[in-house]
Amino acid sequence: MRIGDREMPDAGRRLTPGTSEVPAPRERQTPADGDFTHAVDLAQQRRGQRPALRQQLAALASPVPSDPASFSPARSLDLLQHVVDSVLPRLDADAATLADAATILGEEIAWRQAWENRLHAPLAGERATEGDTPEERS
């Protein structure tokens, strides 16, 4: 230890109040310390490269669909029909509840099929020809 321009003779020692001189603990670098330091450095680098936990949770809450066909109308009809055919009969519920669920799902299937038919209906037949008035089309 240096104070000013002169070297202190007891640089490796320290005094504690009420006791004699006690040697200061010396920091030695062992191979395990080097491994630990390296692991901490790697963890800090990875933390800088990874998004924050809040961002990771937000990404989990709003997943990106990997296959848009999963949300197609045909797929939703297949899933609803599977529920009616396979899931409802296995449910442990009273008959009235199962009948109500089957009715609701049946209505939903019918509504989706009607909607699908409207989307894919040929537009040529629905267009008014020249000279037609709205009253004539009704």
Side-chain angles (χ1 to χ4, degrees), residues 70 73-85 87 109:
S70 298
R75 177 74 175 146
S76 65
L77 285 172
D78 290 342
L79 290 171
L80 287 170
Q81 194 61 50
H82 172 74
V83 170
V84 170
D85 296 340
V87 176
I109 290 170

Side-chain angles (χ1 to χ4, degrees), residues 121-132:
L123 296 176
E126 295 177 2
R127 288 188 187 146
T129 59
E130 289 184 33
D132 285 345

Side-chain angles (χ1 to χ4, degrees), residues 7-49:
E7 185 75 28
M8 296 297 295
D10 58 340
R13 304 171 83 80
R14 65 180 173 167
L15 293 175
T16 54
T19 62
S20 60
E21 293 183 12
V22 176
R26 294 188 180 162
E27 295 182 20
R28 288 183 282 173
Q29 193 104 28
T30 63
D33 291 341
D35 292 342
F36 177 76
T37 305
H38 181 68
V40 168
D41 290 340
L42 285 176
Q44 289 175 343
Q45 289 174 359
R46 279 188 296 219
R47 187 177 356 157
Q49 295 169 354

Side-chain angles (χ1 to χ4, degrees), residues 3 5 11 15 26 33 36 41 75 80 88 93 101 107 110 115-116 121-122 131 136 138:
I3 297 181
D5 292 335
L15 293 175
R26 294 188 180 162
D33 291 341
F36 177 76
D41 290 340
R75 177 74 175 146
L80 287 170
L88 281 181
E107 289 174 1
W115 182 255
E116 186 73 17
E136 292 174 348
S138 306

